[in-house]
Amino acid sequence: MNQQKQEKQKGNKENKQLISPSPHLPTSLSPKLDDWLEIGTIVAAQGLRGELRVYPDSDFSERFEVPGKRWLLHPGQTEPQPIELLAGRYIEGKNLYVITLAGVENRNQAEELRGCKLLVPQSDRPQLGEDEYHILDLIGLPVFMQETGELIGKVIDVLSAGNDLLEVELHQQKEEGEKIKKSKTVLIPFVRAIAPVVDLETGRIEITPPDGLLEINN
């Protein structure tokens, strides 16, 4: 089964570009926000000792549980600031992490960070297993029928609903003088039986959908 792993690209969330990983961290003093991945949002203080509740935007638990450098982006600012993650744990049933950051030692300091985003450089992307993909690598890929080579459309989103679903904007051929029609989308199960080819090097997905699938949401 194909699986996707999620982390949001910071900046223009609606324009999730493909990322070419680099082994080096950004060194610019004023990095663009497109150079960062959003891994979570601080939503509340936890207790009186400076712990913070974080809503995750990442499927990788190590982002919140493994100590090390992270970056903090305050609301209204454009340049993240480095901060040290000291510890973290997952709260079962609430889809939240509780983390401890260096220098945040009481509830008042924690409350001041409400609404801040936690970021990592986009080059710092965990290795994936076989048949696992980053969402950012799937967005924008053209989708073809494997048997005929016909272009079906392009991936505009990946939805989680039991099995992951590729939301594909259908390709439209416009005759000369014809007005552009409102784009239509279909949902395609992201499983190997239906999407047997995901080629990130050439940038294409090939599908073998059962009869009628492409017309379900058309």
Side-chain angles (χ1 to χ4, degrees), residues 6-77:
Q6 173 174 309
E7 285 184 327
K8 294 181 180 178
Q9 182 177 7
K10 191 57 190 168
N12 186 349
K13 294 182 184 177
E14 297 301 322
N15 185 23
K16 299 175 181 176
Q17 301 294 328
L18 298 182
I19 297 171
S20 298
S22 166
H24 305 293
L25 299 182
T27 57
S28 171
L29 295 178
S30 300
K32 296 180 180 179
L33 288 182
D34 285 346
D35 293 335
W36 300 86
L37 296 175
E38 180 181 316
I39 62 172
T41 303
I42 296 174
V43 294
Q46 169 84 6
L48 302 176
R49 299 183 178 180
E51 290 186 315
L52 300 148
R53 287 192 169 202
V54 175
Y55 180 80
D57 288 320
S58 172
D59 292 331
F60 302 99
S61 61
E62 59 264 35
R63 296 298 199 193
F64 313 98
E65 296 176 343
V66 177
K69 184 178 287 188
R70 306 294 188 273
W71 281 259
L72 198 64
L73 183 67
H74 291 264
Q77 295 188 5

Side-chain angles (χ1 to χ4, degrees), residues 17-207:
Q17 301 294 328
L18 298 182
I19 297 171
S20 298
S22 166
H24 305 293
L25 299 182
T27 57
S28 171
L29 295 178
S30 300
K32 296 180 180 179
L33 288 182
D34 285 346
D35 293 335
W36 300 86
L37 296 175
E38 180 181 316
I39 62 172
T41 303
I42 296 174
V43 294
Q46 169 84 6
L48 302 176
R49 299 183 178 180
E51 290 186 315
L52 300 148
R53 287 192 169 202
V54 175
Y55 180 80
D57 288 320
S58 172
D59 292 331
F60 302 99
S61 61
E62 59 264 35
R63 296 298 199 193
F64 313 98
E65 296 176 343
V66 177
K69 184 178 287 188
R70 306 294 188 273
W71 281 259
L72 198 64
L73 183 67
H74 291 264
Q77 295 188 5
T78 59
E79 185 169 336
Q81 302 300 318
I83 196 163
E84 196 75 14
L85 175 71
L86 301 179
R89 65 185 187 278
Y90 185 68
I91 302 180
E92 292 291 344
K94 294 189 176 181
N95 191 30
L96 289 169
Y97 287 89
V98 172
I99 66 170
T100 302
L101 297 177
V104 183
E105 300 174 350
N106 58 57
R107 189 175 183 88
N108 288 339
Q109 290 175 322
E111 287 288 355
E112 291 176 358
L113 298 181
R114 185 193 295 262
C116 290
K117 304 291 186 181
L118 284 174
L119 311 179
V120 294
Q122 66 164 249
S123 57
D124 181 21
R125 300 170 70 190
Q127 294 295 314
L128 299 180
E130 185 178 0
D131 289 336
E132 290 184 336
Y133 304 91
H134 289 283
I135 285 181
L136 296 178
D137 288 340
L138 299 175
I139 301 297
L141 286 185
V143 179
F144 299 87
M145 292 289 287
Q146 186 177 54
E147 184 175 350
T148 64
E150 176 189 359
L151 174 63
I152 300 300
K154 66 177 180 180
V155 179
I156 60 172
D157 204 353
V158 182
L159 309 176
S160 294
N163 287 325
D164 294 320
L165 300 171
L166 300 176
E167 184 177 6
V168 176
E169 181 180 79
L170 296 176
H171 174 66
Q172 298 184 53
Q173 290 186 339
K174 185 173 74 71
E175 301 293 338
E176 185 176 352
E178 183 183 0
K179 292 183 178 180
I180 298 178
K181 299 178 182 178
K182 183 179 179 181
S183 60
K184 298 181 180 180
T185 63
V186 295
L187 298 177
I188 298 175
F190 192 43
V191 295
R192 183 177 291 181
I194 296 176
V197 176
V198 181
D199 193 334
L200 300 182
E201 290 188 6
T202 61
R204 63 186 287 130
I205 295 175
E206 297 178 8
I207 62 172

